[in-house]
Each structure stands twice: as C-alpha cells, then as structure tokens.
Amino acid sequence: MESNNQDEMTIDLVKCFENFLRAFKRMWKTVLLLVLIGMVALEMKEILFFNTTYTSEAVFVPSADIEDTYYYDATQASGTKATLVDTFNSILTSKEMKNIVKDVLNVNKIPAKISATQVENTNLVVLKVTGKSAQDAYNVASAITNNCDTLTKDAMQDVSITLLDKPTMPQKADASPSYLLAGLKGGLIGLGASVLLLIVVAVFRRTILDKNDVREILGMDYIAKVPLVKKRHSNNPGLLLNGSGIKADFKHSFHNVRIKMEQDHRKNKNSVYMITSTVPNEGKTMVSINTAITLGQKGYKVCLVDLDMRNPSVEKTMRYANIHRTSLDYIKDKDVKLEQCIVHKDDIDVIFGSDISVDESTELSKPRLENLIEELREVYDFVILDVTPLYMMEDALLVAKHADSAVVVVKQDYAEAGDILDSVDELHDTLSQIVGVVLNSYKKTFYSSESTGYGYGYGYGYGYGYGRSK
C-alpha cells in the first residue's frame, strides 16, 4: 500500500513538472516579456532615482588628559572619559552646530547630511559629511571643523580637541550607478515572477494530457490518440491519410478510430455521427475527414458533410476548388437536389460547406436539415457531420437532434477540462450517445507508461462514459 502511495505521489510530481514545462512552452513570450519589463523597470529606476553622493571626512581626538590624545585604553577609561566622546559627537551633529554652518555658508538649509561616529576602542571621532556635490560636502565639513571649538569650549571645559585629519575635497563619488547590475536584478525579478506564474498555471490549470485524463477527469470513453505532427508546408495544409509523407503512427490512430466506429455501428445500429470539439483549433475537421476516409478505404459507403457554417474548412483541408452546391444551398433552397451537392473524392462522397451571412442557427432550425440527414441515412453506411465547436455556439446542438451519436475531439493540453465537461454535459442533454474522445496533437508525457508499439486497442470504449449503460 505504501509503495502504491509513493508511486502515485511520484506520478503527481512528475505530472506537475510536465504541466510546468508545457505552460512554459505556451507562455514563453509572456516569460520573456516579464523578464524584459523587470530589466527595463530597474534600469529606469537606476537612471531616474539614483542619487550620486560625495563624502568629506575629518578625524578628531577629544581628550581631557594629554596622554589620551596619543594613547587611549577603552578598557580602563573612566565614566567621565567614556561620556566625553559621546558628548563631542552630539555637539558635532547638534542643532546649534547646524545653525552655525547655515550662517557661515549663508544658506537656509544645510546641503548635506552630517554624522559623527567613534572608532571602536579608541577616542577617535570620525566626522562624515555627505552631499550631492563634492563642493557642498567639503564646505559643510570645513565649516564644522573651523567652528567646533566655539561650541566645545562652552559645553566641555578642560577638554582639548585635536584635529588629526582635515576635511578634503572628495575626488570621486561614493558610488556610481550600475546599469548592468540593475538590469540583472530586474531580469531575475521578472524571471522569478514568471516562474511563480507558471507554477500557478501548472497547479491550477486543468487540461487533458492522456487517456487516463479522458477517463478520470472527463468520465468519457477513450477512442484513440492522434500524434502531434509538425506544421506542414503552406502549399499543402491538409493532413490527410492518403496524402504524401504520412507516418505509420498517424495512420494507425485512425485505424483505431475506424475500429471503434465499426463497433458502435454494429452494436447500436448507428450511422450518423457528428464530430465536434469544445473550442476552435482542436482539429475536428481533420479528424472528420480522416475518419470518413479510413471508413471509405475499408469499403463502407461514406458521406462527409460540412455543417460548420461559421468556419467551413473541409474544402480547404481537402484542397477542392470546383464546388457548385453546398450543404447551406440545400438547406436554404428547396429546389436544390441532394445529388447536386455531392462530390466524390478520396473514396468518399463529400458535401462541402460555405460561409453564412445570417444567423446559422436560423438555417439549422429549418426542416431541410432533417431532410438532408435522413436522405443520407438511407443511402450511406456512415454519415460524418463536421459541426461547429460546442462551447461557442448552439449550432452543434441543433445538428445533434438529428445525429445518432457523436465523437468529441480534444486537443492535448489545450481546452480547460471544466469547459470540456460543461460543453459535453450540454451536448449529452440533447444526444444521449457519445462514442468517446479522440485525443488530438498527442505528444507522449514524461510519466506515460504507454508502449510505443502498435496495439490495436480493441478494448477501448467499454468504460462507463456517456451513452453507456452501467
């Protein structure tokens, strides 16, 4: 039991680390921006607020006895001698001394800070005058040294004040602005803020990473994972099974999708499947087309219908330009015949979509949509409907009324798990059967125990997900 708990803890930590790395890959521009903001902020602070100061110093020896001027033993000093230095320090920084300096310099405010400290275990007193200019520091220090006798004679009788070191004009500033150091500090502060932000995102942002998340977080059946494929050349945007350069693992993923669809078709007598996602850019159109193609290659009679009128993408992905009639034409115009809309391409029949200039939900509410689907149901073994994402519009729910089942495409580490759950719950209220989830753009996780072999996954989909009786 303890071993299992340790394994679970290890997996959780590794998963958090992976979430952190994934967050960094998504937000690296934000990280860079925070680092730059930190660097610029501290550089500007250094430029605008750094005060260059100069210090002029003088050293005094206050003493009551002549020998104390040259030899002072702090361990044997009497109480009187010990307080003598403290009194002299107070005189140097007193209000009376400052008034004398103002009169000497003919100013209303002393342009420097005055401090006096005793050197440890001696009766040496160091006067430090710090000002914004070397001349101010020197002038104030000189005024004090030239007039300190006046006050000490009145306040301290039988005391001699010996000036060991006269004040001098400062030759260099106490410190100079360090723009490089300020930039480094700002960068580190920005980096620290970025790391904190990434940790928060890694801990609290819940997305779907693998099939275990599909089953445990979403409570849905897992169909297959479509591997992440690097962006193809701009002249060939489609990622199709019958295209060139398609790797075996990509083809194998849709082999698993086809098997799952065949199982559902035989078991539940379903033929009309809508394929959707929670948010845009999860790859639902690519999954719709390849699912139709893999079924067509197996010998089934398949029709793919583009009903995403907000962003019809089947035409672009399949690179077909000679379109005469679309699904929208059929729904809007009762004189348009079904055969006028169907194009045969890549072992399947296709009804392409088109952009809509009015509210799509108005068109999808028309009886002609039901007529379209019912006519196709009578002719084809499988009817694949590419529909609008669930989380944004109600359009998918209007189509769901006429579908038999659905497949939900979830892009790895993309949509929030809570958003997926909300949208699928709403879909489930309209459509009782949902085949499961296709996990798209999958990249193996650090903690994954999945092998890289080609298991066919016949056991997929028998959990207690949506549309399954317990």
Side-chain angles (χ1 to χ4, degrees):
M1 182 65 71
E2 291 182 0
S3 177
N4 291 336
N5 291 337
Q6 290 178 353
D7 290 342
E8 290 178 2
M9 185 178 297
T10 301
I11 291 175
D12 287 342
L13 290 175
V14 174
K15 191 169 184 178
C16 286
F17 178 69
E18 172 145 351
N19 288 339
F20 179 87
L21 292 181
R22 289 177 179 272
F24 175 77
K25 290 180 180 179
R26 281 194 310 272
M27 302 172 62
W28 68 268
K29 291 182 180 179
T30 302
V31 172
L32 181 59
L33 179 62
L34 289 175
V35 170
L36 290 176
I37 289 175
M39 294 176 67
V40 171
L42 263 69
E43 289 279 7
M44 292 303 297
K45 179 183 177 183
E46 194 80 356
I47 293 171
L48 298 176
F49 301 107
F50 184 86
N51 292 323
T52 302
T53 60
Y54 297 84
T55 299
S56 181
E57 296 185 359
V59 180
F60 299 89
V61 182
S63 60
D65 300 318
I66 189 65
E67 64 269 15
D68 288 340
T69 303
Y70 306 100
Y71 175 75
Y72 179 80
D73 188 353
T75 60
Q76 298 180 7
S78 64
T80 302
K81 291 181 179 180
T83 58
L84 183 149
V85 175
D86 295 334
T87 303
F88 182 68
N89 286 356
S90 300
I91 291 174
L92 292 179
T93 57
S94 66
K95 183 178 180 179
E96 290 79 6
M97 179 60 76
K98 291 178 181 178
N99 289 332
I100 293 174
V101 172
K102 290 178 186 178
D103 292 338
V104 171
L105 300 180
N106 194 24
V107 294
N108 295 323
K109 183 179 179 180
I110 297 177
K113 292 182 179 180
I114 303 169
S115 65
T117 57
Q118 178 184 2
V119 178
E120 189 176 0
N121 295 328
T122 71
N123 61 337
L124 299 179
V125 175
V126 179
L127 171 69
K128 291 185 178 181
V129 179
T130 302
K132 292 184 178 180
S133 71
Q135 189 66 53
D136 287 341
Y138 174 72
N139 290 342
V140 173
S142 298
I144 293 174
T145 56
N146 293 335
N147 294 277
C148 66
D149 286 342
T150 304
L151 288 180
T152 54
K153 287 179 179 180
D154 295 336
M156 304 171 65
Q157 296 180 357
D158 300 327
V159 173
S160 66
I161 305 298
T162 304
L163 180 62
L164 290 184
D165 294 326
K166 294 181 179 181
T168 58
M169 178 73 71
Q171 298 301 310
K172 61 179 181 178
D174 298 332
S176 301
S178 177
Y179 302 114
L180 177 60
L181 183 59
L184 290 175
K185 287 182 179 179
L188 289 175
I189 292 173
L191 183 60
S194 301
V195 170
L196 182 60
L197 175 63
L198 293 177
I199 290 174
V200 171
V201 171
V203 172
F204 293 103
R205 184 176 184 268
R206 296 181 66 198
T207 57
I208 304 304
L209 296 182
D210 57 19
K211 64 183 180 183
N212 291 327
D213 288 345
V214 171
R215 292 165 176 163
E216 295 171 6
I217 297 177
L218 301 182
M220 299 178 67
D221 290 344
Y222 167 81
I223 298 176
K225 59 178 182 291
V226 180
L228 176 67
V229 178
K230 292 184 179 179
K231 188 176 181 181
R232 298 171 67 80
H233 194 275
S234 58
N235 293 328
N236 185 20
L239 189 62
L240 305 181
L241 286 174
N242 52 7
S244 60
I246 301 300
K247 294 184 178 180
D249 56 347
F250 185 86
K251 294 181 179 179
H252 178 73
S253 64
F254 284 97
H255 174 88
N256 285 341
V257 174
R258 189 195 74 222
I259 290 174
K260 183 63 178 182
M261 301 285 279
E262 289 174 322
Q263 290 174 346
D264 186 78
H265 177 67
R266 288 193 296 268
K267 180 181 179 182
N268 299 311
K269 310 301 179 185
N270 293 330
S271 58
V272 179
Y273 295 87
M274 58 176 280
I275 297 182
T276 185
S277 61
T278 300
V279 294
N281 301 317
E282 292 197 76
K284 66 175 181 61
T285 297
M286 181 274 293
V287 173
S288 299
I289 296 172
N290 286 321
T291 298
I293 290 176
T294 189
L295 289 167
Q297 290 175 340
K298 187 69 181 296
Y300 293 105
K301 196 170 185 180
V302 182
C303 184
L304 169 66
V305 186
D306 190 346
L307 290 177
D308 184 354
M309 298 175 190
R310 308 283 179 180
N311 183 29
S313 303
V314 173
E315 171 193 356
K316 178 181 178 182
T317 306
M318 298 188 74
R319 300 181 62 78
Y320 191 86
N322 191 25
I323 300 175
H324 299 290
R325 296 288 186 178
T326 66
S327 57
L328 179 60
D329 294 329
Y330 180 88
I331 293 173
K332 291 176 63 176
D333 189 350
K334 64 180 181 179
D335 294 327
V336 175
K337 305 299 182 183
L338 182 60
E339 54 269 21
Q340 294 178 282
C341 303
I342 297 176
V343 174
H344 186 78
K345 181 175 173 59
D346 298 329
D347 301 316
I348 61 173
D349 287 345
V350 183
I351 300 178
F352 293 103
S354 58
D355 291 310
I356 194 167
S357 57
V358 297
D359 185 8
E360 180 183 1
S361 60
T362 301
E363 300 299 326
L364 294 177
S365 300
K366 293 181 177 180
R368 289 279 288 179
L369 173 63
E370 183 178 3
N371 295 341
L372 170 66
I373 294 175
E374 291 306 316
E375 284 191 51
L376 295 174
R377 189 194 301 273
E378 293 177 2
V379 177
Y380 293 92
D381 300 315
F382 289 91
V383 179
I384 307 298
L385 310 176
D386 179 28
V387 302
T388 310
L390 294 168
Y391 196 64
M392 299 180 62
M393 307 290 179
E394 64 173 344
D395 309 338
L397 302 181
L398 294 174
V399 177
K401 295 178 181 179
H402 311 294
D404 298 329
S405 188
V407 172
V408 179
V409 178
V410 175
K411 186 176 180 179
Q412 186 188 42
D413 193 30
Y414 192 71
E416 290 275 0
D419 293 342
I420 300 172
L421 285 169
D422 290 343
S423 59
V424 172
D425 282 342
E426 190 172 0
L427 173 62
H428 192 248
D429 292 338
T430 303
L431 185 60
S432 60
Q433 295 190 52
I434 299 178
V435 180
V437 169
V438 173
L439 188 59
N440 189 32
S441 297
Y442 177 82
K443 186 176 181 181
K444 188 175 180 180
T445 60
F446 289 132
Y447 56 87
S448 174
S449 59
E450 300 175 29
S451 65
T452 56
Y454 291 99
Y456 282 85
Y458 287 100
Y460 290 157
Y462 291 98
Y464 295 124
Y466 288 109
R468 295 286 180 265
S469 59
K470 296 184 178 181

